[in-house]
Amino acid sequence: MKIVIDAFGGDNAPEEIVKGAVAAVNSESGFTAVLVGKADVINSLLKEAEYDKTRIEVINASDVITNDDIPTDAIRKKRDSSLVKCFDIINSDEEAAAFVSAGSTGAVLTGAVLLLSRIKGINRPALAPLLPKIAGEGQVLLVDCGANAECKPLNLLQFGVMGSSFMNAVFGVKAPKVGLLSNGTEDKKGDELHKAAFELLKENENINFAGNIEGRDIISGEYDVVVADGFSGNIALKACEGTAIGMFDLIKKGIMEGGLRAKLGYLLLKPALKGIKKKMDYNDNGGAVMLGLNKIVIKSHGSSKAKSICASILQAKQLHESNFIEKIKAAMGN
Amino acid sequence: MKIVIDAFGGDNAPEEIVKGAVAAVNSESGFTAVLVGKADVINSLLKEAEYDKTRIEVINASDVITNDDIPTDAIRKKRDSSLVKCFDIINSDEEAAAFVSAGSTGAVLTGAVLLLSRIKGINRPALAPLLPKIAGEGQVLLVDCGANAECKPLNLLQFGVMGSSFMNAVFGVKAPKVGLLSNGTEDKKGDELHKAAFELLKENENINFAGNIEGRDIISGEYDVVVADGFSGNIALKACEGTAIGMFDLIKKGIMEGGLRAKLGYLLLKPALKGIKKKMDYNDNGGAVMLGLNKIVIKSHGSSKAKSICASILQAKQLHESNFIEKIKAAMGN
């Protein structure tokens, strides 16, 4: 099994991407990492690393797509970019089962939609990050967090189907509890789109639909899958993220301004606070998965360092073994 | 000036509402509190309280609207409910400048839309809470957080106009910085609604428009007004709230499970953590204001206790003195 990695995507590319790939092959067996990008740069970074040389392939791509590029233009015109090359490999090499990128979200999404094949019956792929649960163990899958700014009711139903199959296949969750993100918990809440999606989700016998949920319920621990249109799903994700980061900033400020007493208190509370930070920092556990495609696509955070990239690569391997794509196909009646 | 208060709205009504009103008249002069609801109950609660008897009026209303009522039905049929009676007083008594309720949000919004008069030119009133800024002083106004699940571009423009006038009138913010809540910061981000709203906000010379912002930017401290459609604005608000509450829960859990060391650390860090809790708990500073009406309407949190109700009543007085409604009228060319 090959995992294709965009070595030139992300704020810390290529150094941290290459380091992450080396760390991944050194920590688990059973896959080959394919690093795509300027081969001379990648090779010189690999030269100093210690790893099983048979397990990292380097494929040259002379161009790079950045956050400043317009995604649709870049995907169409930069045919020799590391990103487009990755998609080419995914399409042409049967062994290439997964793709990992920390590059421009827009370009990864656009490229995946334009260049990769979709699961039969799925109208729109969705980007789905795994978020921490405040109470209880495990994680909650948010589908969609930004691939589709405009959605139709059928898209939201399919997000529920894919999310349920994913949580079942990957984490063994039986009858994953699905909530529809809306502006209130009552059955009749929401705009026309969400009211119609509510009915479709409710009628579907393969979904354990728990009804409408609010923004505060996403990471509460009550739900396994949260279905959202990509516009409000993105806003919700960033709002949770921003508040969590902001609160750590406030705690830090409180400690700095609280004198010796607060600093001493911090030292004693440090293990507990570190545990919380680790729990809330979901990026360290891998990237967001794109659901609805025939191959595994993982989008790591743009600011990913080696640790996150390594986590995303190992996540790709785990996802491959879970056979979640086959489970989605089965749920779609394929 | 009279402030009309729904004494039977909210989880802790009528006890905490009455207590809050007493606290408010005892702490500031210059207004009369009008408590509306079952008069015998209110009077017996007031009997034991100490305050200037000329400053609290009681008006009887025999019925109550609860969260279980369907808002439109309840407003139309429960004519003798405390909520509908409050709107009647607001409409008939010129001295009644403001209304405070901790009751059903749906019923308060529906009642205000159906029964109160709008500022000329405003198509849709909006519910606007003041949120803490993580960095810097002051607060940020989120318009709309749930009054309008379906919006048109013009509504979003008017939310920007009203929010700017409000922040200028109430807090003296010069040229309030306005962001449009979207799924990314680039100019072309968003669905059709938000793309069109972006253009309207950009063209308007009276708005200091800073472009699209993400969920993480809402409480960052960068912006004074965040314009949102009521659907995603509600989701964003609840996501911020849920994450903040969830993190306090995690800290509490970490302290409880961290043994003596963590408990000692907590005691030392307590002042700093309490400061953060106070900053993040925006409900203690008053309620959400409904913008676009000819009178002041403040919606307190459903779980408000006396402290929050008192804060909302004093906020009503402050808002009245700020003349923000006149400023909105001026901005609308009235």
Side-chain angles (χ1 to χ4, degrees):
Chain A
M1 202 273 277
K2 288 182 187 173
I3 299 171
V4 183
I5 301 146
D6 180 358
F8 277 74
D11 305 343
N12 304 306
E15 292 79 3
E16 295 289 324
I17 315 294
V18 172
K19 261 193 210 168
V22 169
V25 299
N26 282 341
S27 82
E28 284 189 30
S29 61
F31 67 93
T32 303
V34 181
L35 286 167
V36 182
K38 294 173 185 171
D40 51 343
V41 181
I42 298 172
N43 282 323
S44 82
L45 288 167
L46 284 174
K47 213 190 291 177
E48 287 152 38
E50 279 185 35
Y51 64 97
D52 175 351
K53 307 284 166 190
T54 65
R55 291 189 53 209
I56 297 189
E57 267 180 49
V58 177
I59 293 186
N60 188 55
S62 56
D63 211 350
V64 175
I65 292 178
T66 70
N67 277 325
D68 298 328
D69 285 309
I70 297 168
T72 38
D73 286 2
I75 292 294
R76 289 203 176 98
K77 289 175 192 160
K78 290 192 167 181
R79 305 297 310 176
D80 200 41
S81 61
S82 56
L83 180 61
V84 173
K85 202 72 169 259
C86 285
F87 288 126
D88 290 345
I89 298 166
I90 284 283
N91 280 329
S92 60
D93 187 340
E94 267 188 32
E95 270 193 75
F99 167 54
V100 171
S101 175
S104 151
T105 307
V108 171
L109 293 175
T110 307
V113 168
L114 293 177
L115 304 176
L116 299 186
S117 73
R118 279 199 290 280
I119 291 172
K120 199 180 143 197
I122 295 293
N123 298 49
R124 299 276 199 94
L127 192 61
L130 283 161
L131 306 180
K133 287 182 176 180
I134 291 286
E137 293 304 305
Q139 294 164 294
V140 51
L141 190 77
L142 175 64
V143 204
D144 170 37
C145 83
N148 308 282
E150 308 264 7
C151 286
K152 291 186 176 146
L154 181 65
N155 304 137
L156 297 185
L157 171 66
Q158 293 185 346
F159 297 169
V161 171
M162 295 193 291
S164 298
S165 300
F166 181 92
M167 291 307 283
N168 178 263
V170 180
F171 298 105
V173 182
K174 282 177 192 158
K177 200 169 164 187
V178 177
L180 175 64
L181 187 61
S182 192
N183 60 332
T185 56
E186 300 90 337
D187 286 2
K188 298 286 169 200
K189 276 285 179 177
D191 53 13
E192 291 311 313
L193 165 66
H194 292 83
K195 281 179 192 164
F198 181 96
E199 294 304 324
L200 292 180
L201 285 159
K202 203 175 111 185
E203 283 161 18
N204 192 296
E205 287 174 2
N206 297 317
I207 295 177
N208 176 16
F209 183 50
N212 286 328
I213 68 165
E214 296 188 324
R216 77 176 94 227
D217 305 317
I218 302 171
I219 59 171
S220 66
E222 267 287 294
Y223 303 91
D224 302 302
V225 176
V226 172
V227 170
D229 68 278
F231 185 81
S232 54
N234 183 279
I235 288 172
L237 174 70
K238 304 272 178 68
C240 291
E241 210 177 65
T243 306
I245 293 169
M247 283 193 59
F248 281 117
D249 288 348
L250 286 178
I251 292 171
K252 206 171 166 184
K253 204 177 151 215
I255 292 161
M256 300 309 283
E257 291 173 355
L260 194 59
R261 175 187 168 143
K263 283 184 192 76
L264 190 57
Y266 168 66
L267 282 178
L268 294 168
L269 253 188
K270 206 172 169 184
L273 291 174
K274 279 220 161 177
I276 297 168
K277 195 155 192 174
K278 195 168 155 39
K279 186 177 180 118
M280 297 302 285
D281 198 354
Y282 62 93
N283 291 311
D284 270 3
N285 302 321
V289 184
M290 216 166 154
L291 298 177
L293 304 166
N294 282 313
K295 299 240 170 147
I296 297 161
V297 172
I298 294 176
K299 171 66 184 75
S300 295
H301 206 279
S303 62
S304 291
K305 297 219 164 186
K307 196 179 156 197
S308 304
I309 296 296
C310 172
S312 292
I313 295 169
L314 298 179
Q315 181 190 16
K317 187 197 159 207
Q318 181 205 7
L319 293 184
H320 178 65
E321 287 162 359
S322 79
N323 254 330
F324 82 90
I325 293 176
E326 294 308 313
K327 296 265 171 73
I328 294 178
K329 283 181 186 170
M332 292 302 293
N334 301 358
Chain B
M1 200 273 277
K2 288 182 187 172
I3 299 171
V4 183
I5 301 146
D6 180 357
F8 277 73
D11 306 343
N12 304 306
E15 291 79 5
E16 295 289 323
I17 315 294
V18 173
K19 261 193 212 166
V22 169
V25 299
N26 282 342
S27 84
E28 283 189 32
S29 61
F31 68 95
T32 302
V34 181
L35 286 167
V36 182
K38 295 174 184 171
D40 50 344
V41 180
I42 299 172
N43 282 323
S44 81
L45 288 167
L46 284 174
K47 214 189 292 176
E48 288 152 36
E50 279 185 34
Y51 64 96
D52 176 350
K53 307 284 166 188
T54 65
R55 290 188 55 212
I56 297 190
E57 266 180 50
V58 177
I59 292 186
N60 188 56
S62 57
D63 210 350
V64 175
I65 292 177
T66 70
N67 278 325
D68 298 327
D69 286 309
I70 296 168
T72 38
D73 285 1
I75 293 294
R76 289 202 176 100
K77 290 176 192 159
K78 290 192 168 180
R79 305 298 309 175
D80 201 41
S81 61
S82 56
L83 180 61
V84 174
K85 202 72 169 262
C86 285
F87 288 126
D88 290 344
I89 299 166
I90 285 283
N91 280 329
S92 60
D93 188 342
E94 266 188 32
E95 272 193 75
F99 167 53
V100 171
S101 175
S104 148
T105 307
V108 171
L109 294 175
T110 307
V113 168
L114 293 177
L115 304 176
L116 299 185
S117 74
R118 280 200 289 280
I119 291 171
K120 200 180 141 193
I122 295 292
N123 298 49
R124 299 276 200 94
L127 192 63
L130 283 161
L131 306 180
K133 287 182 175 180
I134 291 284
E137 292 304 304
Q139 294 164 292
V140 52
L141 190 76
L142 174 64
V143 203
D144 172 34
C145 83
N148 309 282
E150 307 265 8
C151 285
K152 291 186 175 143
L154 181 65
N155 303 137
L156 297 184
L157 171 67
Q158 293 185 346
F159 297 168
V161 172
M162 296 193 291
S164 299
S165 301
F166 181 93
M167 291 308 283
N168 179 264
V170 180
F171 299 104
V173 181
K174 282 178 190 158
K177 199 168 165 188
V178 178
L180 176 63
L181 187 59
S182 192
N183 60 333
T185 56
E186 301 90 339
D187 286 3
K188 297 286 170 201
K189 275 286 179 179
D191 53 13
E192 292 309 315
L193 165 67
H194 292 84
K195 282 178 193 166
F198 181 97
E199 294 305 322
L200 292 179
L201 285 159
K202 203 175 114 186
E203 283 161 17
N204 192 296
E205 287 175 1
N206 298 317
I207 294 176
N208 177 16
F209 184 51
N212 286 330
I213 68 165
E214 296 188 323
R216 80 177 92 229
D217 305 317
I218 301 172
I219 59 171
S220 67
E222 266 288 294
Y223 304 90
D224 302 303
V225 177
V226 172
V227 170
D229 68 277
F231 186 81
S232 55
N234 183 278
I235 288 171
L237 174 69
K238 304 273 177 70
C240 291
E241 212 178 64
T243 306
I245 292 169
M247 283 193 60
F248 280 118
D249 288 347
L250 286 178
I251 291 171
K252 207 171 163 185
K253 202 178 152 215
I255 292 160
M256 299 309 284
E257 291 172 356
L260 194 61
R261 174 185 168 146
K263 285 185 191 75
L264 190 58
Y266 168 67
L267 283 177
L268 294 169
L269 251 187
K270 208 171 166 183
L273 291 175
K274 279 220 160 179
I276 297 167
K277 194 153 192 175
K278 196 169 153 36
K279 185 174 182 126
M280 296 303 284
D281 196 354
Y282 63 94
N283 291 310
D284 270 3
N285 302 322
V289 184
M290 216 166 152
L291 298 176
L293 303 167
N294 282 312
K295 299 241 169 146
I296 297 161
V297 172
I298 294 177
K299 172 65 185 74
S300 295
H301 206 279
S303 63
S304 291
K305 297 218 165 190
K307 195 179 157 197
S308 305
I309 297 296
C310 173
S312 291
I313 295 170
L314 298 179
Q315 182 190 15
K317 186 195 160 206
Q318 181 205 10
L319 294 184
H320 178 65
E321 287 162 357
S322 79
N323 254 331
F324 82 91
I325 292 175
E326 294 308 314
K327 297 263 171 71
I328 293 177
K329 284 181 185 169
M332 291 301 295
N334 300 358

